[in-house]
Amino acid sequence: MTQHHHTTTAQRRALRREVAGTLALLADEEDFTAMRQYETFTFDDHTHYLHEVERLLKTLAAQGGHTTVALFDPEDYADYCADTGLDPDRPTSRSRYTAERAATGARVTYTGQPLTTLLPTLVDTAVRRATWEYATMLLTDAGTCADCGQDIGTAAFDRASSLLLRLLDAAGPGTHHLVCSVPAADEQLIATLHITRHTTGPARLDSSEGAEFVTVLAAGIALGTPGGVVLRTTTPGARDRLHGWRLHDGRLHPLTEAEVFDAYCTDARTGEPIAPEPHVDYRAGFPLHHDDDPHPH
């Protein structure tokens, strides 16, 4: 009987290690303050709250569990409770919200990293996801071409994918950091992409970061708005190279060396000059289009 009890307990502990969990946290002081209206939310200091969150994460990790961390949005939580008829001042409502909403949104796996590292990563992930979702909505709402009936969003995405692969093929081996900036009606869409190529073979994209970048570039193509792409390439033993392109009429037009220098060495907010970085070459963008390149929709 005792042996059976010990076996069951051990099995139960082993099974618990296979249960994945999600913890949604309040990243900033404003969200934390919004939650203090609920009596069952017992914390009154954000710093102490984050300290306890980190202690809990360490405890869960020590027990062998897999935990992901998401952002808790008090405003979205209030809407969720109103829609579902749940009492927002109950811990069970918060845990259900976390399971049904936060667990499907932006999240980061906890691997023992300090909260000072995890929080910026989580916020950046959430911003990137929101940008991706908004750009995807713009592509979905773009409609069809009046001339040929083709879906504009699909055509723009295919074109953006082709442009990015051409750019990476032309950039060659090295560690590449790309930034795409496209103005939209409600906000400036910005996507980044980091990729390292060790060979001169064709570039391949299989990451969510690549899909986000292509989606934002495609939104600019579909909307016909001006935008830009910049590329920074790092290779061992050489100076970094900076290139730039202007998005216009669905195409990426190379910037001149002077335009690339001005883009990097001018404060976007004040217009004041910024000192150029040392060990960096500012170069013109290289051509990405062929003579038989069809006009984009």
Side-chain angles (χ1 to χ4, degrees):
M1 186 73 173
T2 302
Q3 182 180 2
H4 174 72
H5 172 72
H6 287 328
T7 302
T8 302
T9 301
Q11 291 173 336
R12 188 177 298 123
R13 288 173 180 170
L15 185 61
R16 187 180 297 118
R17 288 194 291 270
E18 298 185 23
V19 177
T22 302
L23 173 67
L25 60 82
L26 300 157
D28 57 46
E29 193 78 42
E30 183 178 353
D31 287 345
F32 178 82
T33 301
M35 289 302 295
R36 291 191 61 195
Q37 64 179 300
Y38 304 119
E39 291 185 1
T40 55
F41 185 78
T42 57
F43 290 94
D44 57 10
D45 180 80
H46 189 229
T47 301
H48 175 65
Y49 161 80
L50 292 178
H51 176 71
E52 292 302 316
V53 165
E54 189 161 27
R55 286 187 59 184
L56 174 59
L57 288 171
K58 290 179 179 178
T59 298
L60 293 172
Q63 294 173 351
H66 175 84
T67 305
T68 56
V69 183
L71 292 176
F72 195 100
D73 185 338
E75 185 175 348
D76 185 57
Y77 172 64
D79 292 339
Y80 170 81
C81 289
D83 292 340
T84 57
L86 294 175
D87 180 359
D89 200 3
R90 292 178 63 86
T92 53
S93 299
R94 293 195 285 274
S95 63
R96 179 172 166 180
Y97 166 79
T98 297
E100 296 187 17
R101 288 284 184 88
T104 60
R107 55 195 184 276
V108 173
T109 300
Y110 178 71
T111 58
Q113 66 271 49
L115 217 57
T116 51
T117 300
L118 187 148
L119 268 179
T121 302
L122 180 58
V123 171
D124 178 67
T125 302
V127 170
R128 282 175 38 215
R129 186 182 182 91
T131 300
W132 189 7
E133 291 176 348
Y134 182 54
T136 300
M137 181 194 69
L138 293 175
L139 292 178
T140 302
D141 294 343
T144 57
C145 177
D147 295 329
C148 69
Q150 186 175 13
D151 184 85
I152 295 175
T154 300
F157 189 89
D158 290 344
R159 182 174 185 79
S161 300
S162 177
L163 284 173
L164 177 57
L165 290 176
R166 288 186 201 178
L167 194 156
L168 292 174
D169 281 339
T175 298
H176 306 298
H177 173 69
L178 297 101
V179 179
C180 178
S181 179
V182 172
D186 299 325
E187 60 182 286
Q188 186 81 8
L189 299 180
I190 297 177
T192 61
L193 174 62
H194 302 267
I195 185 170
T196 299
R197 296 188 60 203
H198 300 288
T199 67
T200 56
R204 294 184 179 181
L205 294 175
D206 57 4
S207 67
S208 60
E209 194 179 56
E212 293 166 10
F213 189 95
V214 168
T215 304
V216 169
L217 179 57
I221 294 172
L223 295 174
T225 56
V229 171
V230 293
L231 164 69
R232 180 172 189 146
T233 298
T234 302
T235 52
R239 293 162 62 93
D240 283 8
R241 305 187 304 275
L242 298 177
H243 302 270
W245 294 262
R246 178 185 298 106
L247 178 63
H248 176 69
D249 196 27
R251 293 184 170 90
L252 288 175
H253 302 271
L255 297 177
T256 65
E257 184 176 313
E259 288 173 326
V260 172
F261 182 88
D262 288 342
Y264 274 96
C265 300
T266 303
D267 189 302
R269 183 174 58 86
T270 65
E272 295 295 321
I274 301 174
E277 293 186 55
H279 310 297
V280 171
D281 290 334
Y282 299 86
R283 298 184 179 180
F286 35 82
L288 301 175
H289 303 287
H290 302 297
D291 292 338
D292 60 350
D293 199 15
H295 191 281
H297 290 270

